[in-house]
C-alpha cells in the first residue's frame, strides 16, 4: 500500500513523499477535474493509468506479448476496452485540482490520448508514458522513479545520440524528441505504425 501512495504522490505532486490526498476531495474552490481509469497490480498498487476519454487501448503498448497466455490476456483487455467494458477490470478515479497535476509535464500540451505504466519495482524503476501529440505522432517517455533510474535514462540518451551520428542502415532506432536529467521522450519506431491494438 505504501507503493500505491508514493506512486500517486509522484504522479500528482512530483515527489513521492508529498501527500496527494487533497487531489481526491472536491471542495468549493476546485477549478477542474479529471477522470482516470486505473488497472492495479495484485498488491493493489497502480499498474496502468489512463484517462476515461481514451479512444484506443494505448495502455497495452506496455504489455509484452511473448507467450500464448500473454496473447490471450492482451486480447481480452483489448476486447473489453473496445466494447466499453474496461470498467470490469479497472477502477475509476476522479481527481480535482487547482493547479495542473505533475504528470501533465510528461505528455504534449493539450494531449488527451495518453497512458502510464508504473514500471517494474526496484532501484531502476521508471514510469513509462505513451502519448499522441497534436500531429498524431506516437511518443514514449521514461520518467526516473527509482533511485538508479536517471542513470539508466542518461545512458540510453547517450546511446541514441551516438547511433544518430552513425550511418546505420541495418536497423531502426527511436529518435530523441525531448529529454532532461530525469526523463527521456522518444518517437515510436516506424515498424509500430501499422500495429494497432
Amino acid at each position: 500500500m505504501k507503493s500505491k501512495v508514493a506512486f500517486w504522490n509522484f504522479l500528482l505532486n512530483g515527489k513521492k513523499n508529498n501527500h496527494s490526498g487533497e487531489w481526491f476531495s472536491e471542495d468549493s474552490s476546485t477549478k477542474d477535474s479529471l477522470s482516470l481509469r486505473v488497472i492495479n497490480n495484485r498488491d493493489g498498487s497502480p499498474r496502468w493509468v489512463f484517462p476515461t476519454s481514451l479512444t484506443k487501448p494505448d495502455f497495452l503498448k506496455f504489455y509484452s506479448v511473448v507467450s500464448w497466455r500473454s496473447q490471450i490476456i492482451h486480447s481480452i483487455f483489448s476486447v473489453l476496452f473496445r466494447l466499453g467494458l474496461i470498467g470490469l477490470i479497472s477502477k475509476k478515479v476522479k481527481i480535482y485540482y487547482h493547479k495542473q497535476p505533475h504528470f501533465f509535464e510528461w505528455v504534449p500540451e493539450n494531449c488527451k490520448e495518453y497512458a502510464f505504466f508504473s514500471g517494474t519495482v526496484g532501484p531502476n524503476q521508471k514510469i513509462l508514458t505513451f502519448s499522441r501529440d497534436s500531429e498524431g505522432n506516437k511518443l514514449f517517455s521514461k520518467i526516473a522513479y527509482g533511485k538508479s533510474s536517471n542513470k539508466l535514462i542518461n545512458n540510453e540518451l547517450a546511446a541514441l545520440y551516438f547511433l544518430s551520428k552513425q550511418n546505420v542502415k541495418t536497423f531502426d532506432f527511436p529518435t530523441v524528441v525531448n529529454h532532461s536529467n530525469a526523463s527521456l521522450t522518444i518517437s515510436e519506431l516506424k515498424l509500430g505504425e501499422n500495429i494497432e491494438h
Side-chain angles (χ1 to χ4, degrees), residues 7-184:
F7 176 80
W8 282 110
N9 288 348
F10 188 76
L11 207 68
L12 299 171
N13 293 321
K15 293 185 180 178
K16 296 179 196 177
N17 56 358
N18 278 17
H19 183 60
S20 60
E22 74 277 3
W23 294 86
F24 302 101
S25 301
E26 184 178 16
D27 63 42
S28 59
S29 61
T30 298
K31 290 184 178 179
D32 293 297
S33 64
L34 176 64
S35 293
L36 300 169
R37 287 222 168 266
V38 183
I39 299 175
N40 289 328
N41 292 307
R42 289 181 183 177
D43 66 358
S45 62
R47 180 178 181 82
W48 294 315
V49 178
F50 52 93
T52 56
S53 59
L54 193 68
T55 60
K56 296 179 181 179
D58 288 335
F59 60 94
L60 290 174
K61 293 277 188 181
F62 309 116
Y63 191 73
S64 179
V65 180
V66 293
S67 67
W68 63 268
R69 182 179 179 277
S70 59
Q71 179 62 59
I72 290 171
I73 292 170
H74 183 281
S75 297
I76 290 170
F77 280 28
S78 183
V79 168
L80 288 173
F81 185 91
R82 293 184 190 284
L83 292 177
L85 299 173
I86 199 65
L88 295 174
I89 56 168
S90 67
K91 180 182 176 184
K92 191 174 179 180
V93 174
K94 194 161 189 175
I95 59 171
Y96 303 89
Y97 57 95
H98 310 284
K99 62 175 183 177
Q100 289 190 337
H102 179 69
F103 69 77
F104 278 29
E105 295 180 12
W106 306 342
V107 297
E109 191 174 354
N110 299 318
C111 178
K112 306 293 183 195
E113 301 287 310
Y114 57 86
F116 306 129
F117 171 57
S118 62
T120 305
V121 175
N124 297 327
Q125 185 175 2
K126 296 177 285 294
I127 294 176
L128 305 178
T129 74
F130 175 81
S131 59
R132 300 169 193 266
D133 66 16
S134 59
E135 297 173 1
N137 298 312
K138 300 172 185 177
L139 307 172
F140 285 97
S141 296
K142 298 181 180 186
I143 317 299
Y145 188 73
K147 61 182 179 182
S148 304
S149 53
N150 62 337
K151 182 178 180 183
L152 293 179
I153 286 172
N154 287 320
N155 288 346
E156 183 175 349
L157 175 64
L160 289 173
Y161 273 143
F162 173 79
L163 287 171
S164 70
K165 293 176 182 175
Q166 311 305 309
N167 191 19
V168 178
K169 295 182 179 176
T170 53
F171 62 90
D172 291 326
F173 54 90
T175 302
V176 174
V177 176
N178 201 354
H179 67 89
S180 72
N181 185 48
S183 68
L184 172 64

